[in-house]
Amino acid sequence: MSTDKHEGKITASARMTASPANVDWPLLLVTCALLIFGMMMVYSTTFDLSYFWYDNRSTMFAKHMWHVAAGVAALVFCARLDYRKLSIPVVAVGMLLFTLTVLVLVLIFGSDRGLRAGSYQPSELAKLVIIIYLAVWLASKKETLKNFWHGMAPFAVVVGLVTGLIVAQPDISAAATVLVIGALMFFLAGADMLQLGGASVIAALVGSIVIQFYPTGQQRISEYIAGLRDITEGSWHVLQATVAFVDGGVFGVGLGAGNGKFAYLPVPHTDSVFAVVGEELGLVGSLLLVGLFVGLCWRGVRIAARSQDTFGQLLAGGLTGWIALEVLVNVGVILGVLPFAGNALPLISYGGSSLVVTL
């Protein structure tokens, strides 16, 4: 009898060990909550646009649901995949070469930051792939990372190549995101402050040069500086977002009942979706959404801290930092504390590329 029990325990333990999907339930629940929140906001911000563009209030929401289905399928596949398989150098290099090829094809055949206008944005995929590649590369170079020619130089070449191709599209916001993600992962891998300081100075110089070639970038910086002195002198986008937050008050005007998305808020279903949350769900709804993102990032940090290998730590840390950065930039722009950037709000904004890649 005792032998049977012992064998049963071993069998159960073996099944648990062999299970490829070791689910972090708080992370899964927070992700589901954000997806549902996003569905509500996408319908609220697109039914009017959908009727205007497609003569059907539900067309854009239906597209979003297809993207959700594709993203969830990708999530399930990746959850059941042993992440250590991504640490095989040929896999990481293959993913990077594929991404670079797609970015080049966009420059040749694409338009509007996608292979077709408004359809697929490979810059979103590039953010994910650069994290995977850097996690593999940095984990293998940990002992020689502080050597300039083995650490900083090849790191700068890889990140610079990806960033340069994205800037050429042009998509300055995505390029800046890749730069910050790269610097974060370099720091997590153990780079010293001197290296990070030098890299920051170089990145700032390159960024200022790039902005000089793009009038839109110059305008955004000047409007941001003016808005810091006096919010009424800031960009039109931030001013209208401020109006939406004021109209929403503490509890909001009600889901779907906001007026800003119909009139004064630019791109309410993508860049300005947080302002719509502020108007329709008020301060309470805005804090709830931010709290969900904090919970998501907290679980990511916990997973990174508990990883048993350097690659896992860098991968989880890089992914968590990426999502946190996207949220900080989107919310910071809408609140006027950061210069304008076109970063989507993860899992909330309308847009298939961002949603599927994030999931």
Side-chain angles (χ1 to χ4, degrees):
M1 188 71 174
S2 60
T3 304
D4 292 340
K5 288 183 178 180
H6 180 64
E7 290 178 353
K9 289 180 180 179
I10 293 176
T11 304
S13 176
R15 282 199 301 267
M16 290 178 64
T17 304
S19 176
N22 188 8
V23 179
D24 185 288
W25 289 104
L27 176 64
L28 180 61
L29 292 174
V30 169
T31 303
C32 290
L34 285 167
L35 273 179
I36 294 171
F37 204 116
M39 292 174 197
M40 294 191 305
M41 297 315 302
V42 165
Y43 185 77
S44 176
T45 56
T46 60
F47 70 84
D48 184 62
L49 288 172
S50 186
Y51 185 79
F52 179 75
W53 287 339
Y54 303 103
D55 199 29
N56 187 319
R57 294 180 182 272
S58 301
T59 299
M60 293 179 70
F61 181 71
K63 289 183 177 180
H64 179 76
M65 294 307 296
W66 278 110
H67 294 149
V68 169
V72 170
L75 184 152
V76 172
F77 172 79
C78 292
R80 298 188 65 82
L81 177 70
D82 186 345
Y83 73 90
R84 286 176 288 264
K85 293 181 179 178
L86 297 175
S87 66
I88 301 172
V90 68
V91 174
V93 172
M95 294 176 68
L96 180 64
L97 290 177
F98 172 79
T99 303
L100 292 174
T101 301
V102 175
L103 290 173
V104 171
L105 290 176
V106 169
L107 297 179
I108 300 173
F109 302 108
S111 61
D112 192 28
R113 297 185 296 175
L115 291 179
R116 293 179 302 172
S119 59
Y120 169 65
Q121 295 183 9
S123 59
E124 294 296 330
L125 177 63
K127 298 173 186 177
L128 174 61
V129 171
I130 196 67
I131 292 172
I132 296 173
Y133 178 83
L134 288 178
V136 175
W137 185 80
L138 290 169
S140 67
K141 297 289 183 180
K142 192 169 184 180
E143 301 301 324
T144 58
L145 195 61
K146 295 183 180 181
N147 182 294
F148 177 80
W149 296 110
H150 290 89
M152 177 63 74
F155 168 83
V157 169
V158 172
V159 175
L161 181 59
V162 175
T163 302
L165 288 174
I166 296 175
V167 168
Q169 294 185 23
D171 191 346
I172 299 176
S173 300
T177 301
V178 170
L179 275 178
V180 176
I181 291 172
L184 171 65
M185 296 194 67
F186 202 52
F187 171 75
L188 292 176
D192 58 39
M193 298 307 295
L194 181 61
Q195 288 177 311
L196 289 173
S200 299
V201 171
I202 294 173
L205 290 174
V206 172
S208 62
I209 293 172
V210 169
I211 289 174
Q212 296 304 315
F213 285 95
Y214 292 96
T216 302
Q218 299 177 35
Q219 179 184 357
R220 290 177 179 179
I221 294 298
S222 61
E223 288 178 342
Y224 169 67
I225 295 174
L228 290 178
R229 292 193 296 261
D230 182 355
I231 193 170
T232 61
E233 300 296 326
S235 70
W236 173 258
H237 198 145
V238 173
L239 283 174
Q240 302 315 308
T242 303
V243 171
F245 282 112
V246 172
D247 289 344
V250 176
F251 298 105
V253 299
L255 183 63
N259 293 317
K261 61 195 178 190
F262 300 128
Y264 53 81
L265 268 177
V267 286
H269 58 307
T270 54
D271 296 354
S272 300
V273 69
F274 189 70
V276 179
V277 173
E279 181 184 13
E280 297 187 351
L281 302 179
L283 178 64
V284 173
S286 301
L287 291 177
L288 172 62
L289 180 56
V290 171
L292 288 173
F293 279 120
V294 170
L296 185 76
C297 294
W298 168 63
R299 295 312 302 174
V301 170
R302 293 270 292 180
I303 291 169
R306 292 178 175 181
S307 295
Q308 300 299 311
D309 59 306
T310 302
F311 171 70
Q313 293 170 354
L314 291 173
L315 182 62
L319 293 172
T320 303
W322 164 43
I323 294 175
L325 176 64
E326 297 277 14
V327 174
L328 285 172
V329 171
N330 182 277
V331 173
V333 166
I334 293 300
L335 296 178
V337 297
L338 292 175
F340 184 84
N343 295 54
L345 189 58
L347 305 177
I348 305 298
S349 294
Y350 178 84
S353 297
S354 172
L355 179 63
V356 173
V357 171
T358 302
L359 282 171

PDB file of all heavy atoms in Angstrom, residues 232-262:
ATOM      1  N   THR A 232      -0.737  75.594 -21.276  1.00  0.00           N
ATOM      2  CA  THR A 232      -1.546  76.123 -22.376  1.00  0.00           C
ATOM      3  C   THR A 232      -0.713  76.402 -23.619  1.00  0.00           C
ATOM      4  O   THR A 232      -1.260  76.609 -24.707  1.00  0.00           O
ATOM      5  CB  THR A 232      -2.258  77.419 -21.949  1.00  0.00           C
ATOM      6  OG1 THR A 232      -1.276  78.416 -21.602  1.00  0.00           O
ATOM      7  CG2 THR A 232      -3.167  77.168 -20.769  1.00  0.00           C
ATOM      8  N   GLU A 233       0.611  76.404 -23.468  1.00  0.00           N
ATOM      9  CA  GLU A 233       1.502  76.617 -24.615  1.00  0.00           C
ATOM     10  C   GLU A 233       2.019  75.301 -25.174  1.00  0.00           C
ATOM     11  O   GLU A 233       2.820  75.299 -26.117  1.00  0.00           O
ATOM     12  CB  GLU A 233       2.703  77.489 -24.193  1.00  0.00           C
ATOM     13  CG  GLU A 233       2.321  78.862 -23.680  1.00  0.00           C
ATOM     14  CD  GLU A 233       1.667  79.715 -24.757  1.00  0.00           C
ATOM     15  OE1 GLU A 233       2.062  79.569 -25.931  1.00  0.00           O
ATOM     16  OE2 GLU A 233       0.776  80.522 -24.416  1.00  0.00           O
ATOM     17  N   GLY A 234       1.587  74.183 -24.588  1.00  0.00           N
ATOM     18  CA  GLY A 234       2.057  72.868 -25.027  1.00  0.00           C
ATOM     19  C   GLY A 234       1.386  72.417 -26.311  1.00  0.00           C
ATOM     20  O   GLY A 234       0.659  73.170 -26.970  1.00  0.00           O
ATOM     21  N   SER A 235       1.610  71.164 -26.672  1.00  0.00           N
ATOM     22  CA  SER A 235       1.069  70.628 -27.924  1.00  0.00           C
ATOM     23  C   SER A 235      -0.452  70.514 -27.836  1.00  0.00           C
ATOM     24  O   SER A 235      -1.037  70.374 -26.760  1.00  0.00           O
ATOM     25  CB  SER A 235       1.671  69.253 -28.217  1.00  0.00           C
ATOM     26  OG  SER A 235       1.193  68.281 -27.303  1.00  0.00           O
ATOM     27  N   TRP A 236      -1.080  70.558 -29.008  1.00  0.00           N
ATOM     28  CA  TRP A 236      -2.533  70.434 -29.101  1.00  0.00           C
ATOM     29  C   TRP A 236      -2.987  69.096 -28.517  1.00  0.00           C
ATOM     30  O   TRP A 236      -4.009  69.012 -27.834  1.00  0.00           O
ATOM     31  CB  TRP A 236      -2.963  70.550 -30.560  1.00  0.00           C
ATOM     32  CG  TRP A 236      -4.405  70.275 -30.811  1.00  0.00           C
ATOM     33  CD1 TRP A 236      -4.959  69.139 -31.310  1.00  0.00           C
ATOM     34  CD2 TRP A 236      -5.501  71.173 -30.557  1.00  0.00           C
ATOM     35  NE1 TRP A 236      -6.328  69.245 -31.386  1.00  0.00           N
ATOM     36  CE2 TRP A 236      -6.684  70.497 -30.934  1.00  0.00           C
ATOM     37  CE3 TRP A 236      -5.599  72.475 -30.056  1.00  0.00           C
ATOM     38  CZ2 TRP A 236      -7.933  71.081 -30.829  1.00  0.00           C
ATOM     39  CZ3 TRP A 236      -6.852  73.048 -29.951  1.00  0.00           C
ATOM     40  CH2 TRP A 236      -7.996  72.363 -30.332  1.00  0.00           C
ATOM     41  N   HIS A 237      -2.224  68.059 -28.761  1.00  0.00           N
ATOM     42  CA  HIS A 237      -2.553  66.717 -28.282  1.00  0.00           C
ATOM     43  C   HIS A 237      -2.656  66.691 -26.754  1.00  0.00           C
ATOM     44  O   HIS A 237      -3.643  66.187 -26.188  1.00  0.00           O
ATOM     45  CB  HIS A 237      -1.475  65.735 -28.764  1.00  0.00           C
ATOM     46  CG  HIS A 237      -1.911  64.308 -28.711  1.00  0.00           C
ATOM     47  ND1 HIS A 237      -1.529  63.371 -29.634  1.00  0.00           N
ATOM     48  CD2 HIS A 237      -2.688  63.634 -27.834  1.00  0.00           C
ATOM     49  CE1 HIS A 237      -2.057  62.198 -29.337  1.00  0.00           C
ATOM     50  NE2 HIS A 237      -2.764  62.334 -28.242  1.00  0.00           N
ATOM     51  N   VAL A 238      -1.648  67.229 -26.083  1.00  0.00           N
ATOM     52  CA  VAL A 238      -1.628  67.226 -24.618  1.00  0.00           C
ATOM     53  C   VAL A 238      -2.742  68.113 -24.067  1.00  0.00           C
ATOM     54  O   VAL A 238      -3.389  67.783 -23.064  1.00  0.00           O
ATOM     55  CB  VAL A 238      -0.257  67.693 -24.101  1.00  0.00           C
ATOM     56  CG1 VAL A 238      -0.276  67.852 -22.581  1.00  0.00           C
ATOM     57  CG2 VAL A 238       0.827  66.697 -24.499  1.00  0.00           C
ATOM     58  N   LEU A 239      -2.990  69.243 -24.707  1.00  0.00           N
ATOM     59  CA  LEU A 239      -4.063  70.136 -24.254  1.00  0.00           C
ATOM     60  C   LEU A 239      -5.416  69.431 -24.284  1.00  0.00           C
ATOM     61  O   LEU A 239      -6.207  69.526 -23.331  1.00  0.00           O
ATOM     62  CB  LEU A 239      -4.107  71.389 -25.135  1.00  0.00           C
ATOM     63  CG  LEU A 239      -3.040  72.456 -24.873  1.00  0.00           C
ATOM     64  CD1 LEU A 239      -3.122  73.555 -25.924  1.00  0.00           C
ATOM     65  CD2 LEU A 239      -3.209  73.048 -23.481  1.00  0.00           C
ATOM     66  N   GLN A 240      -5.689  68.707 -25.378  1.00  0.00           N
ATOM     67  CA  GLN A 240      -6.973  68.022 -25.492  1.00  0.00           C
ATOM     68  C   GLN A 240      -7.073  66.855 -24.516  1.00  0.00           C
ATOM     69  O   GLN A 240      -8.147  66.566 -23.988  1.00  0.00           O
ATOM     70  CB  GLN A 240      -7.174  67.530 -26.933  1.00  0.00           C
ATOM     71  CG  GLN A 240      -7.112  68.629 -27.979  1.00  0.00           C
ATOM     72  CD  GLN A 240      -7.896  69.866 -27.572  1.00  0.00           C
ATOM     73  OE1 GLN A 240      -9.075  69.784 -27.217  1.00  0.00           O
ATOM     74  NE2 GLN A 240      -7.254  71.024 -27.608  1.00  0.00           N
ATOM     75  N   ALA A 241      -5.953  66.195 -24.258  1.00  0.00           N
ATOM     76  CA  ALA A 241      -5.951  65.129 -23.264  1.00  0.00           C
ATOM     77  C   ALA A 241      -6.250  65.692 -21.879  1.00  0.00           C
ATOM     78  O   ALA A 241      -6.986  65.084 -21.089  1.00  0.00           O
ATOM     79  CB  ALA A 241      -4.604  64.413 -23.273  1.00  0.00           C
ATOM     80  N   THR A 242      -5.692  66.854 -21.582  1.00  0.00           N
ATOM     81  CA  THR A 242      -5.947  67.507 -20.297  1.00  0.00           C
ATOM     82  C   THR A 242      -7.430  67.838 -20.140  1.00  0.00           C
ATOM     83  O   THR A 242      -8.024  67.641 -19.068  1.00  0.00           O
ATOM     84  CB  THR A 242      -5.105  68.787 -20.175  1.00  0.00           C
ATOM     85  OG1 THR A 242      -3.723  68.471 -20.343  1.00  0.00           O
ATOM     86  CG2 THR A 242      -5.310  69.448 -18.817  1.00  0.00           C
ATOM     87  N   VAL A 243      -8.044  68.327 -21.214  1.00  0.00           N
ATOM     88  CA  VAL A 243      -9.483  68.621 -21.195  1.00  0.00           C
ATOM     89  C   VAL A 243     -10.271  67.343 -20.888  1.00  0.00           C
ATOM     90  O   VAL A 243     -11.229  67.364 -20.104  1.00  0.00           O
ATOM     91  CB  VAL A 243      -9.927  69.220 -22.551  1.00  0.00           C
ATOM     92  CG1 VAL A 243     -11.448  69.331 -22.612  1.00  0.00           C
ATOM     93  CG2 VAL A 243      -9.292  70.584 -22.764  1.00  0.00           C
ATOM     94  N   ALA A 244      -9.868  66.231 -21.501  1.00  0.00           N
ATOM     95  CA  ALA A 244     -10.574  64.965 -21.282  1.00  0.00           C
ATOM     96  C   ALA A 244     -10.485  64.541 -19.820  1.00  0.00           C
ATOM     97  O   ALA A 244     -11.485  64.101 -19.228  1.00  0.00           O
ATOM     98  CB  ALA A 244      -9.978  63.886 -22.188  1.00  0.00           C
ATOM     99  N   PHE A 245      -9.292  64.665 -19.220  1.00  0.00           N
ATOM    100  CA  PHE A 245      -9.136  64.288 -17.816  1.00  0.00           C
ATOM    101  C   PHE A 245      -9.970  65.195 -16.906  1.00  0.00           C
ATOM    102  O   PHE A 245     -10.574  64.726 -15.931  1.00  0.00           O
ATOM    103  CB  PHE A 245      -7.668  64.348 -17.402  1.00  0.00           C
ATOM    104  CG  PHE A 245      -6.860  63.171 -17.864  1.00  0.00           C
ATOM    105  CD1 PHE A 245      -5.871  63.320 -18.821  1.00  0.00           C
ATOM    106  CD2 PHE A 245      -7.085  61.912 -17.336  1.00  0.00           C
ATOM    107  CE1 PHE A 245      -5.125  62.233 -19.247  1.00  0.00           C
ATOM    108  CE2 PHE A 245      -6.348  60.817 -17.749  1.00  0.00           C
ATOM    109  CZ  PHE A 245      -5.369  60.976 -18.712  1.00  0.00           C
ATOM    110  N   VAL A 246      -9.996  66.475 -17.202  1.00  0.00           N
ATOM    111  CA  VAL A 246     -10.790  67.409 -16.394  1.00  0.00           C
ATOM    112  C   VAL A 246     -12.275  67.073 -16.504  1.00  0.00           C
ATOM    113  O   VAL A 246     -13.002  67.060 -15.499  1.00  0.00           O
ATOM    114  CB  VAL A 246     -10.527  68.864 -16.838  1.00  0.00           C
ATOM    115  CG1 VAL A 246     -11.501  69.814 -16.142  1.00  0.00           C
ATOM    116  CG2 VAL A 246      -9.092  69.265 -16.534  1.00  0.00           C
ATOM    117  N   ASP A 247     -12.732  66.774 -17.720  1.00  0.00           N
ATOM    118  CA  ASP A 247     -14.148  66.421 -17.909  1.00  0.00           C
ATOM    119  C   ASP A 247     -14.499  65.126 -17.179  1.00  0.00           C
ATOM    120  O   ASP A 247     -15.616  64.977 -16.681  1.00  0.00           O
ATOM    121  CB  ASP A 247     -14.451  66.260 -19.404  1.00  0.00           C
ATOM    122  CG  ASP A 247     -14.435  67.589 -20.151  1.00  0.00           C
ATOM    123  OD1 ASP A 247     -14.490  68.645 -19.471  1.00  0.00           O
ATOM    124  OD2 ASP A 247     -14.359  67.579 -21.397  1.00  0.00           O
ATOM    125  N   GLY A 248     -13.539  64.203 -17.104  1.00  0.00           N
ATOM    126  CA  GLY A 248     -13.819  62.924 -16.463  1.00  0.00           C
ATOM    127  C   GLY A 248     -13.920  63.004 -14.955  1.00  0.00           C
ATOM    128  O   GLY A 248     -14.687  62.248 -14.342  1.00  0.00           O
ATOM    129  N   GLY A 249     -13.148  63.887 -14.353  1.00  0.00           N
ATOM    130  CA  GLY A 249     -13.196  64.019 -12.901  1.00  0.00           C
ATOM    131  C   GLY A 249     -12.767  62.750 -12.192  1.00  0.00           C
ATOM    132  O   GLY A 249     -11.894  62.023 -12.649  1.00  0.00           O
ATOM    133  N   VAL A 250     -13.411  62.471 -11.061  1.00  0.00           N
ATOM    134  CA  VAL A 250     -13.020  61.328 -10.234  1.00  0.00           C
ATOM    135  C   VAL A 250     -13.595  60.020 -10.766  1.00  0.00           C
ATOM    136  O   VAL A 250     -12.891  59.005 -10.845  1.00  0.00           O
ATOM    137  CB  VAL A 250     -13.470  61.539  -8.780  1.00  0.00           C
ATOM    138  CG1 VAL A 250     -13.144  60.307  -7.929  1.00  0.00           C
ATOM    139  CG2 VAL A 250     -12.801  62.773  -8.190  1.00  0.00           C
ATOM    140  N   PHE A 251     -14.861  60.031 -11.168  1.00  0.00           N
ATOM    141  CA  PHE A 251     -15.519  58.784 -11.544  1.00  0.00           C
ATOM    142  C   PHE A 251     -15.835  58.691 -13.035  1.00  0.00           C
ATOM    143  O   PHE A 251     -16.323  57.663 -13.503  1.00  0.00           O
ATOM    144  CB  PHE A 251     -16.815  58.601 -10.742  1.00  0.00           C
ATOM    145  CG  PHE A 251     -16.577  58.494  -9.260  1.00  0.00           C
ATOM    146  CD1 PHE A 251     -16.875  59.554  -8.427  1.00  0.00           C
ATOM    147  CD2 PHE A 251     -16.041  57.341  -8.712  1.00  0.00           C
ATOM    148  CE1 PHE A 251     -16.652  59.457  -7.053  1.00  0.00           C
ATOM    149  CE2 PHE A 251     -15.818  57.231  -7.348  1.00  0.00           C
ATOM    150  CZ  PHE A 251     -16.118  58.290  -6.518  1.00  0.00           C
ATOM    151  N   GLY A 252     -15.581  59.729 -13.805  1.00  0.00           N
ATOM    152  CA  GLY A 252     -15.790  59.674 -15.240  1.00  0.00           C
ATOM    153  C   GLY A 252     -17.232  59.933 -15.647  1.00  0.00           C
ATOM    154  O   GLY A 252     -18.143  59.940 -14.822  1.00  0.00           O
ATOM    155  N   VAL A 253     -17.422  60.102 -16.953  1.00  0.00           N
ATOM    156  CA  VAL A 253     -18.761  60.386 -17.484  1.00  0.00           C
ATOM    157  C   VAL A 253     -19.490  59.100 -17.881  1.00  0.00           C
ATOM    158  O   VAL A 253     -20.651  59.152 -18.287  1.00  0.00           O
ATOM    159  CB  VAL A 253     -18.672  61.327 -18.707  1.00  0.00           C
ATOM    160  CG1 VAL A 253     -18.046  62.662 -18.317  1.00  0.00           C
ATOM    161  CG2 VAL A 253     -17.870  60.687 -19.844  1.00  0.00           C
ATOM    162  N   GLY A 254     -18.809  57.965 -17.781  1.00  0.00           N
ATOM    163  CA  GLY A 254     -19.428  56.691 -18.128  1.00  0.00           C
ATOM    164  C   GLY A 254     -18.786  56.064 -19.355  1.00  0.00           C
ATOM    165  O   GLY A 254     -18.434  56.769 -20.301  1.00  0.00           O
ATOM    166  N   LEU A 255     -18.648  54.751 -19.340  1.00  0.00           N
ATOM    167  CA  LEU A 255     -18.034  54.039 -20.453  1.00  0.00           C
ATOM    168  C   LEU A 255     -18.834  54.251 -21.732  1.00  0.00           C
ATOM    169  O   LEU A 255     -20.042  54.008 -21.771  1.00  0.00           O
ATOM    170  CB  LEU A 255     -17.963  52.539 -20.134  1.00  0.00           C
ATOM    171  CG  LEU A 255     -17.276  51.658 -21.181  1.00  0.00           C
ATOM    172  CD1 LEU A 255     -15.814  52.036 -21.329  1.00  0.00           C
ATOM    173  CD2 LEU A 255     -17.403  50.184 -20.799  1.00  0.00           C
ATOM    174  N   GLY A 256     -18.164  54.736 -22.756  1.00  0.00           N
ATOM    175  CA  GLY A 256     -18.798  54.998 -24.046  1.00  0.00           C
ATOM    176  C   GLY A 256     -19.443  56.355 -24.157  1.00  0.00           C
ATOM    177  O   GLY A 256     -19.854  56.756 -25.251  1.00  0.00           O
ATOM    178  N   ALA A 257     -19.547  57.099 -23.047  1.00  0.00           N
ATOM    179  CA  ALA A 257     -20.272  58.372 -23.049  1.00  0.00           C
ATOM    180  C   ALA A 257     -19.374  59.582 -23.247  1.00  0.00           C
ATOM    181  O   ALA A 257     -19.854  60.715 -23.228  1.00  0.00           O
ATOM    182  CB  ALA A 257     -21.055  58.530 -21.739  1.00  0.00           C
ATOM    183  N   GLY A 258     -18.065  59.384 -23.423  1.00  0.00           N
ATOM    184  CA  GLY A 258     -17.160  60.510 -23.599  1.00  0.00           C
ATOM    185  C   GLY A 258     -17.359  61.222 -24.920  1.00  0.00           C
ATOM    186  O   GLY A 258     -17.713  60.601 -25.932  1.00  0.00           O
ATOM    187  N   ASN A 259     -17.109  62.528 -24.921  1.00  0.00           N
ATOM    188  CA  ASN A 259     -17.239  63.330 -26.142  1.00  0.00           C
ATOM    189  C   ASN A 259     -15.909  63.588 -26.826  1.00  0.00           C
ATOM    190  O   ASN A 259     -15.870  63.892 -28.016  1.00  0.00           O
ATOM    191  CB  ASN A 259     -17.903  64.676 -25.815  1.00  0.00           C
ATOM    192  CG  ASN A 259     -19.340  64.513 -25.375  1.00  0.00           C
ATOM    193  OD1 ASN A 259     -20.094  63.728 -25.962  1.00  0.00           O
ATOM    194  ND2 ASN A 259     -19.730  65.243 -24.330  1.00  0.00           N
ATOM    195  N   GLY A 260     -14.811  63.469 -26.077  1.00  0.00           N
ATOM    196  CA  GLY A 260     -13.506  63.802 -26.628  1.00  0.00           C
ATOM    197  C   GLY A 260     -13.136  62.986 -27.850  1.00  0.00           C
ATOM    198  O   GLY A 260     -12.563  63.490 -28.809  1.00  0.00           O
ATOM    199  N   LYS A 261     -13.481  61.696 -27.839  1.00  0.00           N
ATOM    200  CA  LYS A 261     -13.107  60.811 -28.948  1.00  0.00           C
ATOM    201  C   LYS A 261     -13.855  61.167 -30.232  1.00  0.00           C
ATOM    202  O   LYS A 261     -13.413  60.825 -31.327  1.00  0.00           O
ATOM    203  CB  LYS A 261     -13.401  59.368 -28.571  1.00  0.00           C
ATOM    204  CG  LYS A 261     -14.881  59.108 -28.292  1.00  0.00           C
ATOM    205  CD  LYS A 261     -15.095  57.785 -27.588  1.00  0.00           C
ATOM    206  CE  LYS A 261     -16.575  57.585 -27.275  1.00  0.00           C
ATOM    207  NZ  LYS A 261     -16.794  56.439 -26.384  1.00  0.00           N
ATOM    208  N   PHE A 262     -14.986  61.863 -30.114  1.00  0.00           N
ATOM    209  CA  PHE A 262     -15.742  62.241 -31.297  1.00  0.00           C
ATOM    210  C   PHE A 262     -15.262  63.555 -31.897  1.00  0.00           C
ATOM    211  O   PHE A 262     -15.502  63.828 -33.061  1.00  0.00           O
ATOM    212  CB  PHE A 262     -17.234  62.393 -30.949  1.00  0.00           C
ATOM    213  CG  PHE A 262     -17.869  61.152 -30.425  1.00  0.00           C
ATOM    214  CD1 PHE A 262     -18.585  61.171 -29.242  1.00  0.00           C
ATOM    215  CD2 PHE A 262     -17.754  59.947 -31.106  1.00  0.00           C
ATOM    216  CE1 PHE A 262     -19.173  60.030 -28.747  1.00  0.00           C
ATOM    217  CE2 PHE A 262     -18.338  58.794 -30.618  1.00  0.00           C
ATOM    218  CZ  PHE A 262     -19.054  58.839 -29.436  1.00  0.00           C
TER     219      PHE A 262
END
